[in-house]
Amino acid sequence: EILTCIQTTPVHRIIGDIDLTIYPFNNFIKLLSKQNPNLLEIFGLKSDDFFSITDNMKQILNSANLFLSKKCASSYRGYAQSCYIDAKKLYMKSKEIHPTHFRKKAAKSMFECLRIYEQGTELFETGKIRACVTDPEMAYTLMKVRAGEFLDNNLDPVNFHYENTMFRTFENCFDNAFKSTNLPDEPDYNAIEKLQMGFNQQIVLNYNL
């Protein structure tokens, strides 16, 4: 890929209960620069959360300030809203067929929506990503969401108005935190490019057949 400029794509596999995606290096950096929420989350992981960390990855993890910016607001919001839409659709399916199966899926999507809003809120407030919720009350609330305890009050179209839902509450916190964040307007693209070029140079110079 480095020598030919022919871009390869991520490889996705589901192996048992493991959902695995392998990203080509340049694609990985590109998605980080585009503020992909799932990949930005690596900056919130602890060393014990990794199976192994290469020297290059350590350098990337130590360069979080180059990638984190206000531009992540749109990607976080887009991801959260897609989860919200999925939650609604799955909840309505639970009213028609396989109620237990689809309620569990709806609860998972609802949880993921609120979790990503919470992560974004904390990022805007502190400048750092946390992969795990540290506030005990928030963690307890999200656990109850994941268990499906709030579905009917938040997803049943007969019983709720969007402005009164947990979705709206978390969304408001996200919006308010964004307004006062000290994050830079966009990633440091020049520094990221230099970082990437340095890695590519190392790969070429150290390559052994």
Side-chain angles (χ1 to χ4, degrees), residues 14-160:
I14 295 178
I15 306 171
D17 294 331
I18 300 174
D19 190 340
L20 174 69
T21 303
I22 301 174
Y23 293 94
F25 177 73
N26 288 332
N27 179 255
F28 178 72
I29 296 295
K30 181 179 180 180
L31 290 174
L32 279 178
S33 300
K34 287 187 172 182
Q35 313 290 278
N36 179 290
N38 289 323
L39 295 191
L40 285 180
E41 195 166 36
I42 68 165
F43 294 123
L45 297 174
K46 299 176 181 178
S47 58
D48 290 344
D49 295 323
F50 293 89
F51 286 109
S52 81
I53 307 177
T54 63
D55 290 339
N56 285 350
M57 179 55 75
K58 287 180 183 177
Q59 192 171 345
I60 292 173
L61 294 174
N62 291 331
S63 303
N65 61 304
L66 303 182
F67 295 92
L68 301 178
S69 75
K70 291 179 182 178
K71 290 197 75 172
C72 74
S74 59
S75 59
Y76 267 68
R77 183 186 301 281
Y79 182 59
Q81 290 180 346
S82 68
C83 290
Y84 171 65
I85 292 170
D86 284 344
K88 287 201 300 182
K89 290 179 178 178
L90 291 164
Y91 178 80
M92 294 311 296
K93 281 187 177 182
S94 75
K95 295 293 186 180
E96 301 167 2
I97 53 173
H98 305 302
T100 301
H101 174 71
F102 284 109
R103 276 186 72 88
K104 285 182 178 180
K105 288 198 164 201
K108 182 179 179 181
S109 292
M110 181 174 174
F111 162 81
E112 188 64 11
C113 171
L114 301 184
R115 184 192 71 83
I116 204 68
Y117 268 141
E118 170 61 17
Q119 187 180 97
T121 299
E122 186 160 6
L123 169 59
F124 294 145
E125 291 177 346
T126 66
K128 297 179 181 179
I129 289 180
R130 293 190 188 277
C132 296
V133 178
T134 55
D135 179 77
E137 185 175 347
M138 177 60 68
Y140 179 69
T141 298
L142 289 177
M143 283 175 62
K144 292 178 71 175
V145 169
R146 186 68 178 81
E149 295 187 27
F150 298 108
L151 288 182
D152 298 312
N153 292 333
N154 287 273
L155 294 170
D156 190 332
V158 177
N159 297 327
F160 84 91

Side-chain angles (χ1 to χ4, degrees), residues 155-166:
L155 294 170
D156 190 332
V158 177
N159 297 327
F160 84 91
H161 187 275
Y162 180 71
E163 293 298 325
N164 300 323
T165 62
M166 295 180 73

